[in-house]
Amino acid sequence: VAAGSKAVIACNNDSAYQTALDLNAHGIAVMAVVDNRAEVPGHLTAQMQQLGIPLYAGCRLRNTSGSRRIRRVSIESLQGISRGSVACDLLGVSGGWAPRVHLLCHARGTLRFHHASQSFVPDRLPAGFNVVGSAAGIADLDEALANAANSTRELCAGLGFVPRAVHQPQITQDIIASSDAAAARPEPCKRRQWTDLAHDVTLADAELAVQEGYESVEHFKRYTTTGMAVDQGKTGNINAFLVLSALTGKSIEEIGTTTFRPPYMPVTLGAIAGRSQGDFYAPRRFLPAHRTHARLQAHFADYGGLQRPEYYPQEGEAPRAAIHREIHAVRNQVGVFDNSPIGKIEVRGPHAAEFLHRIYCNNVHSLAVGRVRYGLMLNENGVIMDDGVFIRLAADHFLVNTTSAGVSRIMGLFEEWLQCEWTDLQVLVDDVTSQWANFTFAGPHSRSLLQALGTDMDLEPGALPHMAATTGLLAGLEARIVRVSFSGETSFEVNIAANQASHFLARALRSGQELGLTPYGIEALMILRLEKGYLHVGSDTDGATTPDDVGWGQVARNKTADYVGKRSLFRPANLDPERKQLVGLLAADPAQVMRPGAHLLLGKNRQAPALTDGWITSAGFSPTMNRCLALGMLRGGREHAGAVLSVIDQEQRYEVRVVSATFLDPVNARLKA
């Protein structure tokens, strides 16, 4: 990048002449080299003359001029006699080279001032610490490489290794280098002399600091803010130390240096973020059987950081058609859903039942071993915070299923109650979510499919009814089977070790071909549960929903024992009959599309704007019933069964009727088959 077309170089050392040669070689005119040394080596003088570059020896810059960018520099001799001015649009300044000694100082090494190079170089090294090459103050490239080779040999020998022959690269191009730099002293009569070019610190600032008594180098730094800019003192600190030496009459050795602190160079926010951007910002998490899902051409989406199949489109199939095909398969044949992210928390101990009895708003003590119960967890305000089934595996052993997004929150809640409130309970909780894969086989042929895989478990309704659990071998693998359903169909949840998930799913798909086994994704599952009117915490609930709002008021009231949130259920606001309650909704026009978030107004003739009476929480087209279904929270909802409501969805207005939230199979005949 050419920063200008006409350059002036101001320097006090030989290596700056290499910059002049490089600029000239790339077509950038060097208008002058200003060197404050009275005697410049003859070969450099000859090179400048050969290239027609004016050389001002024993001179320095007097001033610069220009608006928005530099236009001209004024030159004077060291005695203050003007030597004219030179037009330019680029000024390069070189005060020599200083080694990066920061890491050495971090290790408690010491420095000494090297007068020839006008820089601080390593002095005392900590034990086991080596400084190599230019970091040791060696300016010549050939010499630096040789020093590195020798240091390598010594380090190897010190470690007891016989080093191989060290290859030292040969320098093929002459490079002007210099370990010497002429001393530069400020002129007290010129107050506007820059010492830290990156932070606009001048000689006047330095003089004021000394007048105010800030002579300590650490105090001086903070008073003037020298060395605090983007380069963290790499270009300005030596200037500041030399100025402080001149103003106080102390030697540079007495002045010393400021404390070098990590990091030894400025760190950008991008460097701190490192790879934590894009996919690396939140690494993608995959299901245990992800590879099998990928082979099935699943369409993945991010759910809580996990890549989960939304649907499985066949070649040329639109998403809507794929979802409807999956739903029909579950209702008429059999489908498999990967529900591995569902929360799985083991609760063990003599007081495990009592602990969960205090957590859930329904009864836990009465649950028999091998049986399953659905329950709601409340916070201390009586608001639903999670739901799911819990399984009694033994008298002192439970498996708690939580929502996939809520497992870490519920695990933290369990630990808080056990460690801070109920410290007398002997209970251990353990999150085993990632250790178990979970596959739901749902549909009329689900039992036949599992039997075809081969099992020693009795899966008949008499032995394993709905809301029961058993363990045994399935397809030659140790498995736990739980009869629960989120689709309303005969359903078996199969838990197997996570590392066997892909193998098991692939085998099930092969065995299920004759039965019409179809993998289904989250989109189909959400319609299946909507057809049954099943609650989805987070969609159909919010930060104010209580058990009574979703039809669980009687269950919560019937439990006489205390549990988290019970007291709050008796607050006046929670007993208000006008609270919003979960209801089913059907549009007057079967072809009407309903969307979550649309507002509900009681009565046919209500006009917006008006205070909302509720809103649609879940909605979707049901291919089973060939119309759109919806759930909603409605003020005093249960008292308005059969009522007609007005729906306001942005500019659209239509009518719906309040119905039971269970649209399909209200007697649960499919569920219990």
Side-chain angles (χ1 to χ4, degrees), residues 108-177:
R108 297 290 186 258
T110 61
L111 308 174
R112 61 181 175 84
F113 188 72
H114 186 241
H115 286 272
S117 64
Q118 291 288 288
S119 66
F120 284 92
V121 297
D123 185 17
R124 183 187 59 80
L125 303 182
F129 202 97
N130 289 73
V131 182
V132 179
S134 59
I138 301 172
D140 182 77
L141 181 56
D142 230 346
E143 188 180 346
L145 291 171
N147 174 263
N150 291 332
S151 297
T152 302
R153 295 188 188 95
E154 293 173 3
L155 286 169
C156 289
L159 294 171
F161 295 101
V162 177
R164 299 177 182 178
V166 178
H167 172 69
Q168 182 177 331
Q170 297 299 311
I171 306 303
T172 59
Q173 180 179 348
D174 289 334
I175 298 174
I176 301 173

Side-chain angles (χ1 to χ4, degrees), residues 585-632:
L585 301 168
L586 290 176
D589 178 3
Q592 177 65 52
V593 175
M594 295 186 282
R595 300 192 303 172
H599 285 274
L600 305 175
L601 297 179
L602 288 165
K604 289 185 177 182
N605 300 316
R606 292 283 301 282
Q607 298 293 322
L611 184 64
T612 184
D613 292 313
W615 47 84
I616 295 176
T617 58
S618 298
F621 181 82
S622 164
T624 308
M625 307 186 75
N626 196 32
R627 66 178 302 158
C628 196
L629 310 176
L631 298 176

Side-chain angles (χ1 to χ4, degrees), residues 294-362:
R295 286 196 294 269
L296 293 169
Q297 302 299 315
H299 181 274
F300 294 99
D302 189 287
Y303 288 86
L306 277 161
Q307 301 301 298
R308 302 184 65 178
E310 285 192 306
Y311 51 90
Y312 298 81
Q314 297 178 351
E315 186 174 353
E317 187 177 37
R320 179 185 175 93
I323 295 166
H324 289 181
R325 174 178 51 79
E326 293 168 15
I327 293 170
H328 283 307
V330 174
R331 293 291 182 219
N332 300 296
Q333 295 170 306
V334 59
V336 58
F337 175 72
D338 191 339
N339 199 24
S340 297
I342 190 172
K344 310 172 194 74
I345 300 175
E346 290 196 1
V347 181
R348 294 175 180 257
H351 301 137
E354 174 60 23
F355 170 66
L356 292 177
H357 196 64
R358 300 180 187 181
I359 291 291
Y360 284 104
C361 72
N362 45 324

Side-chain angles (χ1 to χ4, degrees), residues 415-435:
E415 290 286 9
E416 180 182 355
W417 282 105
L418 288 171
Q419 295 182 33
C420 303
E421 305 298 335
W422 302 329
T423 56
D424 57 318
L425 296 185
Q426 297 180 45
V427 178
L428 290 176
V429 294
D430 187 18
D431 179 8
V432 296
T433 301
S434 61
Q435 297 179 31

Side-chain angles (χ1 to χ4, degrees), residues 55-115:
L55 173 60
Y56 294 82
C59 293
R60 63 192 176 198
L61 296 183
R62 179 187 184 93
N63 205 347
T64 61
S65 60
S67 175
R68 297 186 180 274
R69 71 173 300 163
I70 192 169
R71 297 297 181 188
R72 183 172 293 275
V73 297
S74 300
I75 304 171
E76 67 178 11
S77 68
L78 296 181
Q79 293 74 36
I81 301 172
S82 175
R83 297 290 301 273
S85 65
V86 176
C88 66
D89 59 6
L90 175 63
L91 172 62
V93 179
S94 172
W97 294 88
R100 295 275 182 89
V101 294
H102 303 65
L103 294 176
L104 171 64
C105 294
H106 296 168
R108 297 290 186 258
T110 61
L111 308 174
R112 61 181 175 84
F113 188 72
H114 186 241
H115 286 272

Side-chain angles (χ1 to χ4, degrees), residues 454-477:
T455 179
D456 60 358
M457 295 174 277
D458 189 348
L459 305 181
E460 293 302 323
L464 189 67
H466 182 61
M467 301 302 276
T470 186
T471 58
L473 292 178
L474 179 66
L477 304 174

